[in-house]
């Protein structure tokens, strides 16, 4: 059996753990196994940059962050466009696959990666996708790997900020990763007792944010913590068309939305505001035990699907069980936070403001 494997898009903590799960699941059951690892995501598949991996490559990597194969972003929308030398990328990927006589490609990645995996499926390749992203925004699985590990880090950052914010009676903003969806901010914010949580899915009203800060001041609390998603957006901006928003942001003077919110709060309340951006720390370091278990299970379930020759699926976790979800049903769909979901209601019920 010949299997190709690649990790694509932004990395996260448990990619190695997932690949180890796949390889252990196969090598335990298949005698004649060859695993080809493609370097730097789809780039390796396009340009034939790969290595035959040995089982020792997968030893000792359960707890290691990053990816032993490297990763890169290869936007889905550019896949059908030739590269700078006129190379047809899709044909190049197919040619590498057929040249190596692969039985299947195991593709680990987020939404964009999944769309390309589905494209390769449509082109006739046998593919299996494993749902990776700290954003937890992949449709069709309850959870993605990387998410829980990233929550731990974002939460730890907010916990640290809590003590300094309290000592100085300041307003603090911690910017959490997530441009399109706010799962990470929501979970890290709730887990660390943030007072205000701003998500891309719930456009904020600056007056409501100011009200929430002033309410805390009146209650004798000198500090306020905001957990703000990278993609948080004001009600005014959310009402603009994509084109209008792009134009408005051409002259944007802040490094990110958190700094804009900080300036507005400072102007409206006179309170000192500080911004902390943990950034890519949230994707780094060792996977948490939850992700190690999740990836071992998803990887093992992927190995079983390969042995069953059941291809074209994402291996998902649904209600605590691994399951095979057809890529054609999920590719291109995004799983955002529903502003009306019970978690938001429960958070509001204990006084957390979402700025709406
Ligand atoms: O998709 C994962 C993610 O970490 C997002 O949360 C974040 O917005 C984005 O990637 C950052 O991308 P890059 O690493 O390319 O700067």
């Amino acid at each position: 059996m010949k299997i190709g494997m690649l990790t694509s898009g932004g990395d996260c903590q448990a990619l190695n753990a997932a690949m180890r799960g796949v390889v252990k699941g196969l090598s335990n059951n298949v005698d004649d196994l060859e695993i080809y690892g493609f370097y730097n995501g789809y780039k390796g598949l396009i340009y034939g940059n790969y290595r035959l991996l040995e089982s020792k490559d997968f030893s000792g990597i359960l707890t290691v962050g990053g990816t032993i194969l490297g990763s890169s972003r290869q936007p889905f929308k550019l896949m059908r466009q030739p590269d700078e030398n006129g190379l047809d990328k899709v044909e190049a990927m197919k040619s590498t696959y057929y040249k190596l006589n692969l039985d299947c490609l195991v593709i680990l990645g987020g939404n964009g990666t999944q769309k390309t995996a589905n494209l390769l499926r449509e082109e006739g390749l046998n593919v299996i996708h494993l749902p990776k992203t700290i954003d937890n925004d992949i449709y069709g699985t309850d959870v993605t790997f990387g998410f829980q590990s990233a929550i731990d880090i974002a939460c730890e950052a907010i916990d640290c900020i809590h003590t300094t914010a309290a000592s100085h009676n300041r307003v603090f903003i911690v910017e959490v990763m997530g441009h399109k969806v706010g799962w990470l901010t929501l979970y890290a914010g709730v887990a660390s007792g943030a007072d205000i949580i701003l998500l891309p899915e719930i456009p904020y009203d600056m007056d409501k944010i100011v009200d929430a800060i002033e309410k805390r001041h009146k209650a004798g609390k000198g500090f306020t913590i905001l957990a703000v998603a990278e993609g948080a957006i004001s009600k005014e901006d959310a009402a603009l068309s994509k084109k209008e928003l792009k134009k408005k942001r051409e002259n944007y003077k802040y490094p990110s939305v958190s700094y804009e919110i900080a300036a507005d709060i400072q102007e409206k309340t006179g309170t000192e505001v500080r911004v902390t951006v943990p950034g890519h720390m949230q994707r780094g370091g060792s996977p948490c035990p939850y992700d190690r278990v999740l990836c071992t299970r998803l990887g093992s379930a992927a190995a079983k699907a390969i042995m069953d020759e059941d291809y074209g699926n994402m291996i998902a976790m649904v209600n605590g069980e691994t399951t095979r979800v057809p890529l054609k049903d999920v590719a291109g769909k995004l799983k955002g936070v529903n502003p009306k979901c019970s978690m938001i209601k429960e958070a509001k019920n204990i006084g957390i403001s979402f700025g709406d």
Side-chain angles (χ1 to χ4, degrees), residues 89-103:
K89 293 175 213 151
V90 176
E91 284 310 315
M93 288 191 281
K94 285 163 66 179
S95 147
T96 308
Y97 178 97
Y98 289 121
K99 192 180 90 188
L100 290 172
N101 205 12
L102 297 178
D103 291 292

Side-chain angles (χ1 to χ4, degrees), residues 127-179:
V127 298
I128 286 192
H129 170 242
L130 288 173
K132 164 246 66 158
T133 169
I134 63 165
D135 295 340
N136 195 35
D137 58 357
I138 297 184
Y139 189 86
T141 183
D142 291 348
V143 69
T144 59
F145 54 91
F147 178 52
Q148 293 291 335
S149 302
I151 293 173
D152 284 0
I153 296 170
C155 186
E156 167 115 35
I158 303 174
D159 288 349
C160 290
I161 291 300
H162 234 117
T163 57
T164 176
S167 313
H168 284 273
N169 287 322
R170 281 169 172 162
V171 171
F172 260 94
I173 296 179
V174 179
E175 185 174 286
V176 179
M177 272 189 162
H179 270 297

Side-chain angles (χ1 to χ4, degrees), residues 160-231:
C160 290
I161 291 300
H162 234 117
T163 57
T164 176
S167 313
H168 284 273
N169 287 322
R170 281 169 172 162
V171 171
F172 260 94
I173 296 179
V174 179
E175 185 174 286
V176 179
M177 272 189 162
H179 270 297
K180 291 186 183 153
V181 304
W183 290 111
L184 185 53
T185 310
L186 177 61
Y187 273 77
V190 170
S192 55
D195 309 297
I196 300 172
I197 297 177
L198 304 182
L199 311 178
E201 295 90 338
I202 307 178
Y204 66 82
D205 177 338
M206 188 43 71
D207 291 338
K208 294 283 168 57
I209 295 175
V210 170
D211 286 351
I213 294 170
E214 283 175 350
K215 198 172 156 201
R216 281 180 58 80
H217 271 255
K218 279 188 197 130
K221 289 163 182 162
F223 73 96
T224 298
I225 309 264
L226 289 89
V228 174
E230 285 174 313

